[in-house]
Amino acid sequence: MPLFGARPPVEDRERVWIEKMLTWCVEQFGREALEREVLTPTPRFFPGRYQGTPDDVLGLVDLVRAHLRVDPAEITVGLYDGRPPQQMPGVAAGAYNSVAGHYSVRDGVGVIAVAMEDAPDPRRVVAVASHELCHHKLLYRGVTSAEEKDHEPLTDLATVFFGLGVFTANSAFTFAQNARGWRRQQLGYINQPMFGYALAYVARLRSERDPAWAQHLDANPRGYFKRAMRYLEKTI
C-alpha cells in the first residue's frame, strides 16, 4: 500500500510491469547499457545546423544508431513521404509499424523507414528513430519476439532504458496544427505517466536523485517524473 501523499502516476499493474521489464532489460543488456549517457536535445549530442532535409533526417537516425551501438552493416534506412512503407523497395510485408516509422527484417538486414512528414521537428525524428532502432535491438538477435503481446510497449520502454526517453516521453503526446485546425497526436504505445514512471525508475537504478537530463522533459512528463521520484523516494 503506497504511503499517503506518495502515490505513483500510474496504475499498480502498470507500475509492476514497468519495474519488471526494466529489470529484465538490465539482465539482457547489462548495467553498462543502463548507465550510458542520456541523450538530450542539446548541441553536445546533436551538433550542426538542422533544416529538415532528407540528409538531415538520415543524420539524426545515424546519431541514434551510434548511441545504441548498432552496427551500420545490420540496418538500412529509408524515408517515405505520402505512400505506405509496405510499398517502398526493401520494406517487407508484415513490418512492425509505429505511428511514424516502420521496422522489418529483409534478407538478414534490419529495414527502418521514417516518415518525412516529421522532418520539420528534429525531436520527433529522434523519437521515431529511437523506437524503430530499439525494435532492432530487441528483435534482430532474438532477445525477444514480436509475437509477445507487449512487444510494442516494451520497445517504448527500451528507449528509456537506453537513454533515449527524454525524446520519446516528450513526443508521446503532442498537438499539431494543420489547415483544418489542431489535432491530437500520440506517438508510441505507452502514455506520458508511464514514461514518467519509467524515467524515474531508471534514474533510481542509476542512483540519480536529481538528474540534469530531467530538465529537458516537457511540462507534463516532467510532472509525472517528479511525482514518480517522490513515490520511489518513499518506497525504495
Side-chain angles (χ1 to χ4, degrees):
M1 179 70 67
L3 298 177
F4 179 75
R7 294 192 61 84
V10 292
E11 298 295 330
D12 193 58
R13 61 182 175 79
E14 296 169 336
R15 177 188 61 78
V16 170
W17 178 80
I18 289 168
E19 293 176 1
K20 175 183 176 181
M21 298 316 298
L22 285 173
T23 301
W24 177 86
C25 284
V26 176
E27 294 168 353
Q28 295 297 316
F29 298 104
R31 289 203 64 87
E32 186 275 336
L34 170 70
E35 294 170 357
R36 207 168 296 164
E37 282 192 287
V38 174
L39 266 61
T40 56
T42 60
R44 178 184 175 190
F45 297 109
F46 299 94
R49 188 177 180 184
Y50 181 87
Q51 296 180 302
T53 67
D55 284 345
D56 288 341
V57 172
L58 292 173
L60 287 184
V61 176
D62 197 55
L63 285 169
V64 176
R65 177 205 60 76
H67 173 77
L68 287 169
R69 301 183 185 178
V70 171
D71 186 338
E74 292 181 0
I75 64 166
T76 184
V77 181
L79 307 178
Y80 68 94
D81 188 4
R83 62 174 177 160
Q86 286 82 356
Q87 297 176 14
M88 293 173 51
V91 177
Y96 310 113
N97 302 334
S98 65
V99 174
H102 304 261
Y103 176 78
S104 64
V105 178
R106 186 184 182 94
D107 299 328
V109 177
V111 180
I112 293 169
V114 179
M116 277 301 292
E117 70 179 49
D118 293 314
D121 185 349
R123 295 178 301 174
R124 188 173 170 90
V125 172
V126 171
V128 172
S130 299
H131 182 89
E132 302 312 325
L133 282 162
C134 280
H135 269 310
H136 186 81
K137 294 287 286 188
L138 291 168
L139 296 174
Y140 188 70
R141 300 191 186 282
V143 175
T144 187
S145 168
E147 303 306 314
E148 297 290 337
K149 64 179 181 179
D150 64 348
H151 171 70
E152 288 288 2
L154 175 59
T155 305
D156 275 347
L157 204 62
T159 69
V160 178
F161 174 81
F162 284 112
L164 299 157
V166 169
F167 292 92
T168 49
N170 286 347
S171 298
F173 178 84
T174 59
F175 283 96
Q177 189 175 28
N178 57 27
R180 292 175 291 181
W182 291 89
R183 64 189 177 97
R184 176 186 183 276
Q185 289 184 307
Q186 181 168 334
L187 182 70
Y189 294 83
I190 66 177
N191 58 29
Q192 286 189 328
M194 293 176 73
F195 269 117
Y197 190 81
L199 286 160
Y201 197 74
V202 161
R204 294 290 292 183
L205 290 174
R206 291 161 56 104
S207 299
E208 295 177 318
R209 294 188 177 275
D210 186 22
W213 48 261
Q215 67 183 302
H216 297 282
L217 291 169
D218 290 345
N220 282 347
R222 185 168 65 249
Y224 296 126
F225 169 80
K226 289 181 176 180
R227 181 175 166 187
M229 288 293 281
R230 289 193 296 270
Y231 167 80
L232 291 169
E233 188 74 32
K234 298 287 187 181
T235 56
I236 294 182

